[in-house]
Amino acid sequence: MTVELVTDIMKEGLFVILKTAAPPLFVSLIIGLVVSIFQTVTSIQEQTLTFVPKIVGMFICLMLLGDWMLNNMITYMTNLYQNFALYIR
């Protein structure tokens, strides 16, 4: 197993992590930004106001994109396990 092969596996793994985690993080970021603008405009200083919209947004995001996210992780792990014989040489 060469250094280049290890770095390629790590690079692909990190890319899968970033690609899989990006949609829920962006949904949370957008909802947090909208709620904070709403709080600023209306002068409501309730700290717990952001939790319910974020939870609902994350739930909807995971319902819509959960299959795609799981398929990304399964594809990466399947490719990793199928090429395992090449890695131990």
Side-chain angles (χ1 to χ4, degrees):
M1 192 167 197
T2 64
V3 174
E4 292 83 17
L5 187 59
V6 172
T7 56
D8 286 341
I9 293 170
M10 290 299 295
K11 181 176 69 170
E12 187 179 351
L14 289 174
F15 182 69
V16 168
I17 291 170
L18 290 174
K19 185 171 66 170
T20 303
L25 289 175
F26 284 136
V27 167
S28 178
L29 176 75
I30 300 279
I31 290 173
L33 181 65
V34 168
V35 170
S36 67
I37 290 173
F38 175 74
Q39 283 180 326
T40 302
V41 169
T42 60
S43 298
I44 298 174
Q45 297 301 323
E46 181 64 33
Q47 296 297 321
T48 60
L49 185 64
T50 61
F51 289 121
V52 173
K54 279 186 182 181
I55 289 172
V56 170
M58 294 294 286
F59 181 71
I60 291 171
C61 178
L62 291 176
M63 279 180 46
L64 295 174
L65 297 175
D67 183 50
W68 172 78
M69 294 165 69
L70 188 61
N71 282 334
N72 278 340
M73 292 184 281
I74 289 172
T75 302
Y76 173 71
M77 291 307 295
T78 303
N79 289 338
L80 199 62
Y81 288 147
Q82 285 177 348
N83 296 327
F84 188 71
L86 298 174
Y87 302 149
I88 58 174
R89 288 185 189 177

